[in-house]
Amino acid sequence: MSSAASDVFPPPKDFAAHAAIGSRAAYDELRQVALADPEAFWAARARAGLHWFKPFGKVLDWKPPFAQWFLGGETNASFNCLDRHLTGWRRNKAAIVWEGENFEQRTLTYLELHRRVGQLANALLALGYRAGDRAIIYLPMIPEAAVAMLACARIGVTHSVVFAGFSSEALRTRIEDLGAQLVLTADYGRRRGREVPLKKNVDEALEHCPGVRHAVVYRHTNGPIAMRAGRDLEWAELVASAQPGCPAAHLPSEHPLFVLYTSGTTGKPKGVVHSTAGYLTQVLATMEWVFDLRDEDVYWCTADIGWVTGHSYIIYGPLAAGATTLMYEGAPDWPRPDRFWELIAKYRVNVFYTSPTAIRSFIRQGEAYPAGHDLSSLRLLGSVGEPINPSAWRWYHRVIGHERCPIVDTWWQTETGAILLSPVPGAVAAKPGSATLPLPGIVAEIVDAKGEPVPDGQQGYLVLRKPWPSMLRGLYGDPERYQENYWSRYPGSYFTGDAAHRDADGYYWVLGRVDDVINISGHRLSTMEVESALVRHPQVAEAAAVGRPDELKGQSLVVFCTLKGDAAATPELSEELRAWVAREIAAFARPEEVRMVEALPKTRSGKIMRRLLRELVTTREVKGDTTTLEDYAVLLKLSVEGKDEEEILGKN
Ligand code: WT7
């Protein structure tokens, strides 16, 4: 599959001239070195990139599917993100530049951030928390979220950030699965002028979580909240009496830095476990390769800290690199559609990293909004979370980048920890819609159902052949599911769950998920999770959820339900079910459409044939017209004669 010359965007000459990796030849050499001896390559990155309290010995212990990196070494993520910047001029550099939704501004230098992290860490130590304990962080996009993560990391408390848009129910299941003893939260968050009752959600969740000893509450909006004596503690009071200096714990390389829950193919979210040294080594390497970061840059990743992008590319990556990271609390279109462009102009942002869904919504709003602001500070643009359609890529390139800025389309996953496929902007020509090449040390391949590599141009499954330092170390408390989910399909190789093809230039084109995971605006959602939420509703008998292509969000959610005996299929019930899912999971999971049907298509063994429903919602409008109903009847009939879903899926 070759591309027309017009589809290729070579690195702009002046960009390449100043880039850390400024030519394809230099880059190919780096990849070659990594390929020739991956362990030596990563060991050198780890030694040069991190501060070690104790040097590591063995580089990699690989007992598939369990990897351990940099054995015997001791380090600390919080120390690497803070203390080592304090010895030189960076101590007074802005670490976090924050803007609130209400235009409030705060800047924390490395020294100031270090002080606040130390205070909170000391307060947590005084409460008895130690390495090995687990904390849930349920905070809005405010600097305290970074302080909380780094304070936990400092003393070895494994953190799990729960996106502040998640419901109390979703919060509860994560607290329970993790067996967390501590929750760090705020009174309220701000979203489009509304106040989101975070503490109230925590209160509801904690009704069912007796294992949580403390909830530390930061007063953000100062709205009314209930505080339970003995359990709930005021953040401000705790840190006021704490010393700022807190020595960073010397932690083994493999110490679990964080667990992040993400949707899998069952109703239960998976707790993806990340390590300390391997994670940080690779995240830091990608800051250099992909974002070509310079000390004077203002770097802005628009993700939320509740997702892995926020962990790796708002907090750990930029701070380990000593960068200035911009953090914005609110929505892109609040109070006006030009909020992002205003922020770029105001803070002179140089590197801007956002999602295709955001870009598509900017396209809808029109070019007048970005045109009204000075975007000349921008040097590099990034995209993440879903495939970017070539027309959105071109718009981004022309309207935001003024045809001057390279675009890095970065492919990775919660599980991979760091970016694995992406152009290196000064070295690799971009093609709109392609994440281009695997980064150094990454061995990717596209295989068929049997695991055989497919010829270039042919679609197959994206797999990774070799372990990499920032890979997940497992699923929290569930080694079998880890093995089964990622390593059973192609023994020895990591199965990404994505379909892709590779073109004649060796470029990868990632097409999307092949499992029952859908991607709504870059947020991963399991159809099974939605179905389990729906069948908890007293009037729903069975449910099937599928993704439908959506021009704005990439995919949107359509659900089919059968009702219990006496329930009537009314528009009110349909609305109620939509709201129910939003409340049980999160607002982004609210179904676009609820179809109440007589029966669901099933295989002989009784499994719901989601694939047929997927086809139905993809190829036809499902608005209740007769064509659809006939199609649906045909589907039901088909399913009676039906093959097993696996059988059909296998031919995908
Ligand atoms: C899934 C991972 C990576 C952090 C945010 C999402 C899709 C991600 C791209 C891209 C095509 C992409 C894949 C992947 N995806 N980036 N550049 N091009 N698809 O993390 O929630 O773990 O989702 O997002 O389908 O498997 P996540």
Side-chain angles (χ1 to χ4, degrees), residues 54-86:
K54 187 172 161 232
F56 56 88
K58 193 170 183 194
V59 180
L60 169 66
D61 180 71
W62 178 223
K63 295 193 180 70
F66 299 99
Q68 299 192 77
W69 286 85
F70 312 126
L71 281 100
E74 286 178 3
T75 184
N76 183 295
S78 183
F79 186 96
N80 277 284
C81 289
L82 299 169
D83 305 50
R84 62 182 177 145
H85 305 311
L86 303 186

PDB file of all heavy atoms in Angstrom, residues 54-86:
ATOM      1  N   LYS A  54      20.699   2.766  44.509  1.00  0.00           N
ATOM      2  CA  LYS A  54      21.535   1.572  44.411  1.00  0.00           C
ATOM      3  C   LYS A  54      21.460   1.105  42.960  1.00  0.00           C
ATOM      4  O   LYS A  54      20.353   0.968  42.426  1.00  0.00           O
ATOM      5  CB  LYS A  54      20.973   0.500  45.354  1.00  0.00           C
ATOM      6  CG  LYS A  54      21.823  -0.720  45.467  1.00  0.00           C
ATOM      7  CD  LYS A  54      21.291  -1.652  46.571  1.00  0.00           C
ATOM      8  CE  LYS A  54      21.841  -3.047  46.361  1.00  0.00           C
ATOM      9  NZ  LYS A  54      20.791  -4.066  46.358  1.00  0.00           N
ATOM     10  N   PRO A  55      22.614   0.895  42.321  1.00  0.00           N
ATOM     11  CA  PRO A  55      22.571   0.511  40.904  1.00  0.00           C
ATOM     12  C   PRO A  55      21.969  -0.880  40.719  1.00  0.00           C
ATOM     13  O   PRO A  55      22.053  -1.723  41.613  1.00  0.00           O
ATOM     14  CB  PRO A  55      24.047   0.534  40.486  1.00  0.00           C
ATOM     15  CG  PRO A  55      24.836   0.546  41.740  1.00  0.00           C
ATOM     16  CD  PRO A  55      23.969   1.034  42.853  1.00  0.00           C
ATOM     17  N   PHE A  56      21.361  -1.090  39.557  1.00  0.00           N
ATOM     18  CA  PHE A  56      20.773  -2.405  39.296  1.00  0.00           C
ATOM     19  C   PHE A  56      21.838  -3.352  38.762  1.00  0.00           C
ATOM     20  O   PHE A  56      22.883  -2.922  38.272  1.00  0.00           O
ATOM     21  CB  PHE A  56      19.603  -2.298  38.322  1.00  0.00           C
ATOM     22  CG  PHE A  56      19.931  -1.641  37.005  1.00  0.00           C
ATOM     23  CD1 PHE A  56      20.406  -2.375  35.930  1.00  0.00           C
ATOM     24  CD2 PHE A  56      19.735  -0.267  36.835  1.00  0.00           C
ATOM     25  CE1 PHE A  56      20.694  -1.774  34.721  1.00  0.00           C
ATOM     26  CE2 PHE A  56      20.024   0.346  35.619  1.00  0.00           C
ATOM     27  CZ  PHE A  56      20.514  -0.410  34.561  1.00  0.00           C
ATOM     28  N   GLY A  57      21.560  -4.643  38.888  1.00  0.00           N
ATOM     29  CA  GLY A  57      22.456  -5.659  38.359  1.00  0.00           C
ATOM     30  C   GLY A  57      21.880  -6.215  37.074  1.00  0.00           C
ATOM     31  O   GLY A  57      22.085  -5.678  35.989  1.00  0.00           O
ATOM     32  N   LYS A  58      21.082  -7.267  37.198  1.00  0.00           N
ATOM     33  CA  LYS A  58      20.483  -7.907  36.036  1.00  0.00           C
ATOM     34  C   LYS A  58      19.483  -6.955  35.359  1.00  0.00           C
ATOM     35  O   LYS A  58      18.650  -6.338  36.030  1.00  0.00           O
ATOM     36  CB  LYS A  58      19.766  -9.168  36.505  1.00  0.00           C
ATOM     37  CG  LYS A  58      19.367 -10.068  35.380  1.00  0.00           C
ATOM     38  CD  LYS A  58      18.889 -11.415  35.906  1.00  0.00           C
ATOM     39  CE  LYS A  58      18.568 -12.277  34.691  1.00  0.00           C
ATOM     40  NZ  LYS A  58      17.833 -13.449  34.957  1.00  0.00           N
ATOM     41  N   VAL A  59      19.576  -6.844  34.036  1.00  0.00           N
ATOM     42  CA  VAL A  59      18.716  -5.900  33.318  1.00  0.00           C
ATOM     43  C   VAL A  59      17.286  -6.418  33.209  1.00  0.00           C
ATOM     44  O   VAL A  59      16.327  -5.705  33.482  1.00  0.00           O
ATOM     45  CB  VAL A  59      19.272  -5.602  31.905  1.00  0.00           C
ATOM     46  CG1 VAL A  59      18.359  -4.619  31.170  1.00  0.00           C
ATOM     47  CG2 VAL A  59      20.676  -5.040  32.014  1.00  0.00           C
ATOM     48  N   LEU A  60      17.164  -7.680  32.777  1.00  0.00           N
ATOM     49  CA  LEU A  60      15.816  -8.197  32.525  1.00  0.00           C
ATOM     50  C   LEU A  60      15.711  -9.635  32.986  1.00  0.00           C
ATOM     51  O   LEU A  60      16.561 -10.466  32.668  1.00  0.00           O
ATOM     52  CB  LEU A  60      15.504  -8.115  31.022  1.00  0.00           C
ATOM     53  CG  LEU A  60      14.248  -8.837  30.532  1.00  0.00           C
ATOM     54  CD1 LEU A  60      12.977  -8.204  31.104  1.00  0.00           C
ATOM     55  CD2 LEU A  60      14.174  -8.837  29.002  1.00  0.00           C
ATOM     56  N   ASP A  61      14.643  -9.902  33.707  1.00  0.00           N
ATOM     57  CA  ASP A  61      14.302 -11.273  34.038  1.00  0.00           C
ATOM     58  C   ASP A  61      12.967 -11.547  33.346  1.00  0.00           C
ATOM     59  O   ASP A  61      11.953 -10.979  33.725  1.00  0.00           O
ATOM     60  CB  ASP A  61      14.185 -11.435  35.558  1.00  0.00           C
ATOM     61  CG  ASP A  61      13.826 -12.851  35.936  1.00  0.00           C
ATOM     62  OD1 ASP A  61      14.687 -13.726  35.788  1.00  0.00           O
ATOM     63  OD2 ASP A  61      12.668 -13.079  36.348  1.00  0.00           O
ATOM     64  N   TRP A  62      12.986 -12.370  32.326  1.00  0.00           N
ATOM     65  CA  TRP A  62      11.790 -12.565  31.484  1.00  0.00           C
ATOM     66  C   TRP A  62      11.339 -14.012  31.557  1.00  0.00           C
ATOM     67  O   TRP A  62      11.928 -14.896  30.948  1.00  0.00           O
ATOM     68  CB  TRP A  62      12.139 -12.150  30.043  1.00  0.00           C
ATOM     69  CG  TRP A  62      11.079 -12.300  28.997  1.00  0.00           C
ATOM     70  CD1 TRP A  62      11.268 -12.792  27.730  1.00  0.00           C
ATOM     71  CD2 TRP A  62       9.687 -11.932  29.058  1.00  0.00           C
ATOM     72  NE1 TRP A  62      10.100 -12.745  27.014  1.00  0.00           N
ATOM     73  CE2 TRP A  62       9.105 -12.243  27.806  1.00  0.00           C
ATOM     74  CE3 TRP A  62       8.868 -11.387  30.056  1.00  0.00           C
ATOM     75  CZ2 TRP A  62       7.753 -12.015  27.511  1.00  0.00           C
ATOM     76  CZ3 TRP A  62       7.521 -11.157  29.783  1.00  0.00           C
ATOM     77  CH2 TRP A  62       6.981 -11.465  28.526  1.00  0.00           C
ATOM     78  N   LYS A  63      10.311 -14.205  32.395  1.00  0.00           N
ATOM     79  CA  LYS A  63       9.686 -15.515  32.457  1.00  0.00           C
ATOM     80  C   LYS A  63       8.277 -15.310  31.937  1.00  0.00           C
ATOM     81  O   LYS A  63       7.374 -15.008  32.723  1.00  0.00           O
ATOM     82  CB  LYS A  63       9.663 -16.023  33.904  1.00  0.00           C
ATOM     83  CG  LYS A  63      11.058 -16.279  34.473  1.00  0.00           C
ATOM     84  CD  LYS A  63      10.993 -17.073  35.772  1.00  0.00           C
ATOM     85  CE  LYS A  63      12.389 -17.322  36.327  1.00  0.00           C
ATOM     86  NZ  LYS A  63      13.009 -16.068  36.848  1.00  0.00           N
ATOM     87  N   PRO A  64       8.116 -15.409  30.618  1.00  0.00           N
ATOM     88  CA  PRO A  64       6.856 -15.007  30.006  1.00  0.00           C
ATOM     89  C   PRO A  64       5.655 -15.551  30.762  1.00  0.00           C
ATOM     90  O   PRO A  64       5.693 -16.732  31.110  1.00  0.00           O
ATOM     91  CB  PRO A  64       6.932 -15.607  28.604  1.00  0.00           C
ATOM     92  CG  PRO A  64       8.395 -15.813  28.346  1.00  0.00           C
ATOM     93  CD  PRO A  64       9.016 -16.058  29.678  1.00  0.00           C
ATOM     94  N   PRO A  65       4.601 -14.772  31.031  1.00  0.00           N
ATOM     95  CA  PRO A  65       4.485 -13.367  30.628  1.00  0.00           C
ATOM     96  C   PRO A  65       4.921 -12.392  31.724  1.00  0.00           C
ATOM     97  O   PRO A  65       4.437 -11.263  31.754  1.00  0.00           O
ATOM     98  CB  PRO A  65       2.977 -13.248  30.395  1.00  0.00           C
ATOM     99  CG  PRO A  65       2.376 -14.150  31.441  1.00  0.00           C
ATOM    100  CD  PRO A  65       3.362 -15.267  31.660  1.00  0.00           C
ATOM    101  N   PHE A  66       5.807 -12.837  32.620  1.00  0.00           N
ATOM    102  CA  PHE A  66       6.182 -11.948  33.724  1.00  0.00           C
ATOM    103  C   PHE A  66       7.589 -11.393  33.529  1.00  0.00           C
ATOM    104  O   PHE A  66       8.549 -12.151  33.445  1.00  0.00           O
ATOM    105  CB  PHE A  66       6.059 -12.677  35.063  1.00  0.00           C
ATOM    106  CG  PHE A  66       4.631 -13.122  35.326  1.00  0.00           C
ATOM    107  CD1 PHE A  66       4.241 -14.427  35.076  1.00  0.00           C
ATOM    108  CD2 PHE A  66       3.680 -12.214  35.774  1.00  0.00           C
ATOM    109  CE1 PHE A  66       2.920 -14.828  35.273  1.00  0.00           C
ATOM    110  CE2 PHE A  66       2.362 -12.605  35.980  1.00  0.00           C
ATOM    111  CZ  PHE A  66       1.984 -13.915  35.719  1.00  0.00           C
ATOM    112  N   ALA A  67       7.672 -10.069  33.468  1.00  0.00           N
ATOM    113  CA  ALA A  67       8.961  -9.420  33.253  1.00  0.00           C
ATOM    114  C   ALA A  67       9.347  -8.632  34.491  1.00  0.00           C
ATOM    115  O   ALA A  67       8.498  -8.035  35.151  1.00  0.00           O
ATOM    116  CB  ALA A  67       8.882  -8.475  32.055  1.00  0.00           C
ATOM    117  N   GLN A  68      10.643  -8.641  34.796  1.00  0.00           N
ATOM    118  CA  GLN A  68      11.172  -7.735  35.816  1.00  0.00           C
ATOM    119  C   GLN A  68      12.389  -7.044  35.214  1.00  0.00           C
ATOM    120  O   GLN A  68      13.225  -7.692  34.576  1.00  0.00           O
ATOM    121  CB  GLN A  68      11.589  -8.516  37.056  1.00  0.00           C
ATOM    122  CG  GLN A  68      10.442  -9.275  37.715  1.00  0.00           C
ATOM    123  CD  GLN A  68      10.855  -9.787  39.077  1.00  0.00           C
ATOM    124  OE1 GLN A  68      10.923  -9.053  40.059  1.00  0.00           O
ATOM    125  NE2 GLN A  68      11.174 -11.066  39.124  1.00  0.00           N
ATOM    126  N   TRP A  69      12.449  -5.746  35.415  1.00  0.00           N
ATOM    127  CA  TRP A  69      13.532  -4.973  34.819  1.00  0.00           C
ATOM    128  C   TRP A  69      14.402  -4.343  35.901  1.00  0.00           C
ATOM    129  O   TRP A  69      13.908  -3.894  36.928  1.00  0.00           O
ATOM    130  CB  TRP A  69      12.962  -3.847  33.946  1.00  0.00           C
ATOM    131  CG  TRP A  69      12.391  -4.330  32.646  1.00  0.00           C
ATOM    132  CD1 TRP A  69      11.119  -4.816  32.435  1.00  0.00           C
ATOM    133  CD2 TRP A  69      13.054  -4.377  31.372  1.00  0.00           C
ATOM    134  NE1 TRP A  69      10.951  -5.156  31.115  1.00  0.00           N
ATOM    135  CE2 TRP A  69      12.131  -4.894  30.430  1.00  0.00           C
ATOM    136  CE3 TRP A  69      14.347  -4.041  30.937  1.00  0.00           C
ATOM    137  CZ2 TRP A  69      12.453  -5.061  29.083  1.00  0.00           C
ATOM    138  CZ3 TRP A  69      14.653  -4.210  29.588  1.00  0.00           C
ATOM    139  CH2 TRP A  69      13.716  -4.718  28.677  1.00  0.00           C
ATOM    140  N   PHE A  70      15.674  -4.253  35.604  1.00  0.00           N
ATOM    141  CA  PHE A  70      16.637  -3.500  36.414  1.00  0.00           C
ATOM    142  C   PHE A  70      16.691  -4.041  37.846  1.00  0.00           C
ATOM    143  O   PHE A  70      16.564  -3.301  38.825  1.00  0.00           O
ATOM    144  CB  PHE A  70      16.305  -2.001  36.376  1.00  0.00           C
ATOM    145  CG  PHE A  70      16.064  -1.494  34.972  1.00  0.00           C
ATOM    146  CD1 PHE A  70      14.896  -0.818  34.632  1.00  0.00           C
ATOM    147  CD2 PHE A  70      17.002  -1.711  33.968  1.00  0.00           C
ATOM    148  CE1 PHE A  70      14.669  -0.368  33.329  1.00  0.00           C
ATOM    149  CE2 PHE A  70      16.789  -1.265  32.654  1.00  0.00           C
ATOM    150  CZ  PHE A  70      15.616  -0.589  32.337  1.00  0.00           C
ATOM    151  N   LEU A  71      16.877  -5.353  37.921  1.00  0.00           N
ATOM    152  CA  LEU A  71      16.816  -6.020  39.225  1.00  0.00           C
ATOM    153  C   LEU A  71      17.945  -5.607  40.151  1.00  0.00           C
ATOM    154  O   LEU A  71      19.070  -5.371  39.711  1.00  0.00           O
ATOM    155  CB  LEU A  71      16.825  -7.538  39.024  1.00  0.00           C
ATOM    156  CG  LEU A  71      15.429  -8.015  38.611  1.00  0.00           C
ATOM    157  CD1 LEU A  71      15.367  -8.220  37.122  1.00  0.00           C
ATOM    158  CD2 LEU A  71      15.064  -9.255  39.364  1.00  0.00           C
ATOM    159  N   GLY A  72      17.596  -5.548  41.424  1.00  0.00           N
ATOM    160  CA  GLY A  72      18.579  -5.190  42.439  1.00  0.00           C
ATOM    161  C   GLY A  72      18.737  -3.687  42.607  1.00  0.00           C
ATOM    162  O   GLY A  72      19.318  -3.230  43.587  1.00  0.00           O
ATOM    163  N   GLY A  73      18.213  -2.922  41.668  1.00  0.00           N
ATOM    164  CA  GLY A  73      18.332  -1.472  41.750  1.00  0.00           C
ATOM    165  C   GLY A  73      17.333  -0.874  42.725  1.00  0.00           C
ATOM    166  O   GLY A  73      16.308  -1.476  43.034  1.00  0.00           O
ATOM    167  N   GLU A  74      17.688   0.306  43.249  1.00  0.00           N
ATOM    168  CA  GLU A  74      16.757   1.050  44.103  1.00  0.00           C
ATOM    169  C   GLU A  74      16.660   2.491  43.627  1.00  0.00           C
ATOM    170  O   GLU A  74      17.670   3.152  43.388  1.00  0.00           O
ATOM    171  CB  GLU A  74      17.212   1.000  45.562  1.00  0.00           C
ATOM    172  CG  GLU A  74      16.962  -0.364  46.186  1.00  0.00           C
ATOM    173  CD  GLU A  74      17.443  -0.470  47.632  1.00  0.00           C
ATOM    174  OE1 GLU A  74      17.928   0.547  48.183  1.00  0.00           O
ATOM    175  OE2 GLU A  74      17.338  -1.565  48.188  1.00  0.00           O
ATOM    176  N   THR A  75      15.438   2.954  43.510  1.00  0.00           N
ATOM    177  CA  THR A  75      15.217   4.317  43.043  1.00  0.00           C
ATOM    178  C   THR A  75      13.884   4.810  43.614  1.00  0.00           C
ATOM    179  O   THR A  75      13.288   4.151  44.465  1.00  0.00           O
ATOM    180  CB  THR A  75      15.262   4.368  41.494  1.00  0.00           C
ATOM    181  OG1 THR A  75      15.144   5.724  41.063  1.00  0.00           O
ATOM    182  CG2 THR A  75      14.139   3.554  40.862  1.00  0.00           C
ATOM    183  N   ASN A  76      13.438   5.974  43.156  1.00  0.00           N
ATOM    184  CA  ASN A  76      12.165   6.515  43.635  1.00  0.00           C
ATOM    185  C   ASN A  76      11.633   7.492  42.578  1.00  0.00           C
ATOM    186  O   ASN A  76      12.357   8.404  42.161  1.00  0.00           O
ATOM    187  CB  ASN A  76      12.370   7.228  44.980  1.00  0.00           C
ATOM    188  CG  ASN A  76      11.061   7.738  45.557  1.00  0.00           C
ATOM    189  OD1 ASN A  76      10.430   8.614  44.982  1.00  0.00           O
ATOM    190  ND2 ASN A  76      10.645   7.183  46.680  1.00  0.00           N
ATOM    191  N   ALA A  77      10.397   7.297  42.160  1.00  0.00           N
ATOM    192  CA  ALA A  77       9.832   8.117  41.087  1.00  0.00           C
ATOM    193  C   ALA A  77       9.695   9.578  41.522  1.00  0.00           C
ATOM    194  O   ALA A  77       9.961  10.504  40.753  1.00  0.00           O
ATOM    195  CB  ALA A  77       8.466   7.560  40.668  1.00  0.00           C
ATOM    196  N   SER A  78       9.291   9.790  42.775  1.00  0.00           N
ATOM    197  CA  SER A  78       9.100  11.146  43.280  1.00  0.00           C
ATOM    198  C   SER A  78      10.442  11.880  43.339  1.00  0.00           C
ATOM    199  O   SER A  78      10.554  13.055  42.962  1.00  0.00           O
ATOM    200  CB  SER A  78       8.452  11.068  44.667  1.00  0.00           C
ATOM    201  OG  SER A  78       8.179  12.327  45.196  1.00  0.00           O
ATOM    202  N   PHE A  79      11.472  11.179  43.759  1.00  0.00           N
ATOM    203  CA  PHE A  79      12.810  11.765  43.804  1.00  0.00           C
ATOM    204  C   PHE A  79      13.264  12.163  42.401  1.00  0.00           C
ATOM    205  O   PHE A  79      13.797  13.255  42.178  1.00  0.00           O
ATOM    206  CB  PHE A  79      13.803  10.757  44.408  1.00  0.00           C
ATOM    207  CG  PHE A  79      15.188  11.323  44.627  1.00  0.00           C
ATOM    208  CD1 PHE A  79      15.560  11.812  45.868  1.00  0.00           C
ATOM    209  CD2 PHE A  79      16.111  11.376  43.585  1.00  0.00           C
ATOM    210  CE1 PHE A  79      16.836  12.344  46.076  1.00  0.00           C
ATOM    211  CE2 PHE A  79      17.385  11.911  43.772  1.00  0.00           C
ATOM    212  CZ  PHE A  79      17.743  12.399  45.022  1.00  0.00           C
ATOM    213  N   ASN A  80      13.003  11.271  41.447  1.00  0.00           N
ATOM    214  CA  ASN A  80      13.407  11.552  40.064  1.00  0.00           C
ATOM    215  C   ASN A  80      12.637  12.722  39.453  1.00  0.00           C
ATOM    216  O   ASN A  80      13.148  13.398  38.576  1.00  0.00           O
ATOM    217  CB  ASN A  80      13.236  10.299  39.205  1.00  0.00           C
ATOM    218  CG  ASN A  80      14.422   9.372  39.331  1.00  0.00           C
ATOM    219  OD1 ASN A  80      15.478   9.628  38.766  1.00  0.00           O
ATOM    220  ND2 ASN A  80      14.270   8.310  40.117  1.00  0.00           N
ATOM    221  N   CYS A  81      11.408  12.912  39.912  1.00  0.00           N
ATOM    222  CA  CYS A  81      10.602  14.006  39.369  1.00  0.00           C
ATOM    223  C   CYS A  81      10.872  15.329  40.083  1.00  0.00           C
ATOM    224  O   CYS A  81      10.477  16.380  39.573  1.00  0.00           O
ATOM    225  CB  CYS A  81       9.117  13.671  39.488  1.00  0.00           C
ATOM    226  SG  CYS A  81       8.611  12.366  38.353  1.00  0.00           S
ATOM    227  N   LEU A  82      11.473  15.278  41.263  1.00  0.00           N
ATOM    228  CA  LEU A  82      11.620  16.504  42.048  1.00  0.00           C
ATOM    229  C   LEU A  82      13.052  16.780  42.488  1.00  0.00           C
ATOM    230  O   LEU A  82      13.701  17.690  41.981  1.00  0.00           O
ATOM    231  CB  LEU A  82      10.715  16.438  43.289  1.00  0.00           C
ATOM    232  CG  LEU A  82       9.210  16.304  43.004  1.00  0.00           C
ATOM    233  CD1 LEU A  82       8.461  15.991  44.282  1.00  0.00           C
ATOM    234  CD2 LEU A  82       8.679  17.571  42.367  1.00  0.00           C
ATOM    235  N   ASP A  83      13.528  15.970  43.413  1.00  0.00           N
ATOM    236  CA  ASP A  83      14.784  16.291  44.112  1.00  0.00           C
ATOM    237  C   ASP A  83      15.960  16.537  43.185  1.00  0.00           C
ATOM    238  O   ASP A  83      16.776  17.419  43.416  1.00  0.00           O
ATOM    239  CB  ASP A  83      15.154  15.171  45.098  1.00  0.00           C
ATOM    240  CG  ASP A  83      14.024  14.887  46.069  1.00  0.00           C
ATOM    241  OD1 ASP A  83      12.867  14.700  45.594  1.00  0.00           O
ATOM    242  OD2 ASP A  83      14.272  14.851  47.277  1.00  0.00           O
ATOM    243  N   ARG A  84      16.034  15.726  42.132  1.00  0.00           N
ATOM    244  CA  ARG A  84      17.245  15.883  41.317  1.00  0.00           C
ATOM    245  C   ARG A  84      17.228  17.169  40.490  1.00  0.00           C
ATOM    246  O   ARG A  84      18.236  17.536  39.906  1.00  0.00           O
ATOM    247  CB  ARG A  84      17.498  14.668  40.453  1.00  0.00           C
ATOM    248  CG  ARG A  84      16.401  14.408  39.459  1.00  0.00           C
ATOM    249  CD  ARG A  84      16.760  13.166  38.719  1.00  0.00           C
ATOM    250  NE  ARG A  84      15.680  12.850  37.803  1.00  0.00           N
ATOM    251  CZ  ARG A  84      15.885  12.316  36.631  1.00  0.00           C
ATOM    252  NH1 ARG A  84      17.111  12.082  36.233  1.00  0.00           N
ATOM    253  NH2 ARG A  84      14.868  12.019  35.861  1.00  0.00           N
ATOM    254  N   HIS A  85      16.067  17.854  40.440  1.00  0.00           N
ATOM    255  CA  HIS A  85      16.049  19.149  39.745  1.00  0.00           C
ATOM    256  C   HIS A  85      16.405  20.301  40.684  1.00  0.00           C
ATOM    257  O   HIS A  85      16.461  21.448  40.270  1.00  0.00           O
ATOM    258  CB  HIS A  85      14.674  19.413  39.136  1.00  0.00           C
ATOM    259  CG  HIS A  85      14.204  18.318  38.230  1.00  0.00           C
ATOM    260  ND1 HIS A  85      14.999  17.798  37.234  1.00  0.00           N
ATOM    261  CD2 HIS A  85      13.040  17.628  38.183  1.00  0.00           C
ATOM    262  CE1 HIS A  85      14.326  16.832  36.609  1.00  0.00           C
ATOM    263  NE2 HIS A  85      13.145  16.713  37.171  1.00  0.00           N
ATOM    264  N   LEU A  86      16.572  19.966  41.966  1.00  0.00           N
ATOM    265  CA  LEU A  86      16.770  21.042  42.946  1.00  0.00           C
ATOM    266  C   LEU A  86      18.227  21.457  43.093  1.00  0.00           C
ATOM    267  O   LEU A  86      18.524  22.465  43.720  1.00  0.00           O
ATOM    268  CB  LEU A  86      16.234  20.617  44.323  1.00  0.00           C
ATOM    269  CG  LEU A  86      14.765  20.200  44.355  1.00  0.00           C
ATOM    270  CD1 LEU A  86      14.339  19.957  45.793  1.00  0.00           C
ATOM    271  CD2 LEU A  86      13.863  21.232  43.698  1.00  0.00           C
TER     272      LEU A  86
END
